[in-house]
Amino acid sequence: MTGFSVSLIVSNLSNVASYLSPIFETIPSKVVPAQIEKVVSLVSRTGRDLQRYDKSGYRQVVGCVPYRYKKQGNGAESKEIELLLISAQKGKGMLFPKGGWEIDESMEEAALRETIEEAGVTGELEEKLGKWQYKSKRQSVIHEGYMFALLVNQEYERWPEAETRQRRWVGLDEAREVCQNWWMREALEAFVNLKCKAEEVEIEGDDDYSLVEQSF
């Protein structure tokens, strides 16, 4: 089989999956076989033809700080919070899922899409944590990044970037240590401050946890 034939087959499969995806979304989840749901979830956007830039030419990116409440021995949720980080595709360290915000989607839609593609999780999108400007290490391009808190309620076994990324639930101390991007560490602190104002929660650390008390 020639390289052209392989490329054509892959292209056709991608087009079929893209065509079927909105059809499956209109069908109740109980009707759609699990295998089909997994195939649809494995379709990932590529390229930057739809990439959004602001008036200054800054590339717009958006992502999430995914978290969950740790389960107790009886299966009930505790007040302890765990955070989900993913491995970087290049270089060492871990980070939170994020990617390009495209012109045919809202900021919230982009945040959820990128989190599914890179980390294989989705859930309830909560408050926006802030906006940061940073320069790409590989290119001399300034990015403008937005981050949201995401309460995870579904974790996929297979996802678009499962072959190139690992994911790991960690406590706050470890997240601060291994997160390689300064602006994502600031987003993490914004997340902690947000939870501090919203409710009394326990942010799990490596060996123990620190109680975040309610404050106003």
Side-chain angles (χ1 to χ4, degrees), residues 4-210:
F4 174 77
S5 299
V6 173
S7 176
L8 182 60
I9 291 173
V10 172
S11 176
N12 287 337
L13 287 174
S14 178
N15 290 336
V16 171
S18 299
Y19 173 78
L20 292 177
S21 180
I23 297 177
F24 290 138
E25 289 177 355
T26 64
I27 303 176
S29 59
K30 292 183 179 180
V31 178
V32 182
Q35 294 87 346
I36 294 179
E37 288 186 319
K38 289 182 178 180
V39 170
V40 173
S41 69
L42 289 175
V43 178
S44 178
R45 289 194 178 193
T46 58
R48 295 188 178 179
D49 294 339
L50 300 178
Q51 175 61 55
R52 189 187 296 262
Y53 296 87
D54 73 354
K55 295 180 179 180
S56 300
Y58 298 164
R59 182 176 179 239
Q60 305 287 283
V61 300
V62 62
C64 291
V65 175
Y67 77 96
R68 70 183 180 187
Y69 292 96
K70 189 174 182 179
K71 296 287 186 180
Q72 297 177 339
N74 59 5
E77 287 186 348
S78 69
K79 290 186 178 181
E80 293 182 48
I81 283 181
E82 295 177 309
L83 303 151
L84 183 67
L85 286 96
I86 58 174
S87 60
Q89 285 185 317
K90 296 183 179 180
K92 299 180 180 180
M94 306 284 286
L95 42 81
F96 294 113
K98 68 99 178 75
W101 175 17
E102 301 190 343
I103 59 176
D104 64 341
E105 58 188 350
S106 68
M107 184 184 295
E108 292 78 9
E109 289 171 339
L112 290 172
R113 174 181 57 78
E114 288 291 343
T115 303
I116 291 175
E117 291 179 359
E118 295 191 350
V121 297
T122 190
E124 182 180 346
L125 198 67
E126 299 180 341
E127 294 89 342
K128 183 165 63 177
L129 300 174
K131 178 177 68 175
W132 292 264
Q133 290 182 356
Y134 66 97
K135 182 176 290 187
S136 171
K137 294 181 179 179
R138 289 176 291 174
Q139 303 173 355
S140 298
V141 178
I142 297 178
H143 294 66
E144 195 166 66
Y146 301 84
M147 296 293 285
F148 290 85
L150 176 72
L151 178 57
V152 174
N153 58 28
Q154 186 169 4
E155 187 171 346
Y156 298 100
E157 294 182 3
R158 300 170 60 201
W159 68 98
E161 298 187 15
E163 298 298 323
T164 57
R165 296 186 189 272
Q166 296 181 351
R167 62 187 179 190
R168 184 157 48 117
W169 288 100
V170 301
L172 175 61
D173 292 342
E174 186 174 356
R176 285 170 168 158
E177 180 180 351
V178 302
C179 185
Q180 66 176 19
N181 293 340
W182 66 266
W183 69 278
M184 286 190 174
R185 291 194 297 272
E186 289 192 1
L188 175 57
E189 296 307 319
F191 168 81
V192 173
N193 291 335
L194 175 67
K195 289 302 170 184
C196 176
K197 293 179 180 179
E199 58 184 320
E200 183 179 283
V201 297
E202 296 168 2
I203 307 293
E204 187 188 20
D206 293 334
D207 300 319
D208 53 11
Y209 61 82
S210 57

